[in-house]
Amino acid sequence: MENQKSKSVQEWLPIQRILENGIIQLKDNTYIKIIKIKPINFNLKSELEKEAILNSYKLFLKTCNFNFQILIQSNKEDLSKHIQAVNQNSIQEDKNIQEISKQYIEYIQNLNHDKKSSSKNFYIILKYRNENREITEFEEYAIEDLNDKYFKIKDCLSRCGNIVTDFNQQKEMLFILFSFLNTRIYFSQI
């Protein structure tokens, strides 16, 4: 056990580089594109709207004849600032308001503890692997293929009412990767 060499973060992560357009090249020459989806609130839709959304979603599944991963990033909300504001506002009030404020704080803390007040981010991860092409030709082909898949997904999911965001810059992609690997730090900064 003592003879095992500790790996640095750079050795451990499978990322080779992030291209200018936000596409990630992995060390095994696989290329990845990450898309963020902001979903609609399905429960607030009428029955007719729900049926149309489900039909659009079926079309999405039939149209996207390639593999993709769906990642849901969930984390408890940081309610400390909100609780502090409620406490400060109730200090100058009478005993009844203070008691109601105390009960409200307990209620939202319980919700947060039970993860009913969590925030969620939804991502689709697209992948393209090298099929023995020349490296320069392969990279161009991989970027074109991933962008084609992105536009197909965007078209289908937008019909359902979702907002589809492409991360097309290195800085945006670094922020997303940071959020995947450092959820506690990331959500405390929001």
Side-chain angles (χ1 to χ4, degrees):
M1 191 88 136
E2 290 179 27
N3 294 336
Q4 289 182 342
K5 180 185 170 190
S6 296
K7 287 187 173 183
S8 69
V9 173
Q10 290 81 1
E11 292 172 322
W12 175 75
L13 286 175
I15 298 170
Q16 178 70 29
R17 66 188 174 125
I18 300 173
L19 305 177
E20 290 295 323
N21 56 12
I23 292 176
I24 302 168
Q25 179 186 10
L26 301 181
K27 290 178 181 173
D28 68 354
N29 231 9
T30 299
Y31 288 78
I32 302 249
K33 184 170 187 72
I34 300 175
I35 303 166
K36 185 173 184 177
I37 311 297
K38 184 175 180 187
I40 59 167
N41 191 334
F42 188 76
N43 294 330
L44 296 178
K45 302 298 180 182
S46 69
E47 291 305 315
L48 187 60
E49 289 172 317
K50 286 180 181 180
E51 188 175 328
I53 291 167
L54 288 175
N55 287 333
S56 295
Y57 189 69
K58 287 177 195 173
L59 180 64
F60 161 68
L61 293 176
K62 288 180 182 178
T63 304
C64 295
N65 57 351
F66 46 84
N67 294 331
F68 58 88
Q69 290 179 303
I70 298 174
L71 175 75
I72 302 171
Q73 185 183 49
S74 179
N75 205 6
K76 286 187 207 179
E77 290 290 332
D78 180 13
L79 300 175
S80 58
K81 291 179 184 176
H82 180 65
I83 290 170
Q84 184 180 14
V86 170
N87 278 330
Q88 285 179 347
N89 289 336
S90 68
I91 289 174
Q92 298 173 353
E93 300 295 332
D94 64 24
K95 295 284 185 198
N96 289 337
I97 299 294
Q98 289 178 358
E99 184 60 32
I100 291 170
S101 297
K102 181 180 172 186
Q103 289 173 1
Y104 171 70
I105 290 171
E106 288 175 13
Y107 172 73
I108 63 172
Q109 285 175 328
N110 288 335
L111 277 179
N112 201 34
H113 182 265
D114 296 339
K115 292 191 176 185
K116 292 181 181 173
S117 67
S118 64
S119 63
K120 291 186 178 11
N121 293 316
F122 298 87
Y123 300 95
I124 291 181
I125 301 172
L126 303 170
K127 180 165 77 169
Y128 187 85
R129 188 179 302 272
N130 188 349
E131 297 172 355
N132 298 325
R133 287 184 164 73
E134 294 284 327
I135 295 298
T136 55
E137 176 188 322
F138 168 72
E139 187 170 295
E140 291 171 15
Y141 188 77
I143 292 168
E144 182 180 325
D145 181 72
L146 289 171
N147 284 327
D148 287 347
K149 289 176 182 175
Y150 160 70
F151 286 116
K152 191 177 278 190
I153 287 174
K154 181 177 182 175
D155 182 49
C156 292
L157 289 180
S158 294
R159 286 186 209 154
C160 300
N162 301 294
I163 298 171
V164 181
T165 306
D166 175 23
F167 299 106
N168 55 14
Q169 295 181 359
Q170 281 182 335
K171 191 174 184 178
E172 293 172 327
M173 190 50 56
L174 284 170
F175 185 74
I176 293 302
L177 291 173
F178 179 79
S179 77
F180 290 166
L181 298 170
N182 299 293
T183 54
R184 287 184 181 162
I185 296 169
Y186 168 74
F187 283 105
S188 68
Q189 291 178 351
I190 294 181

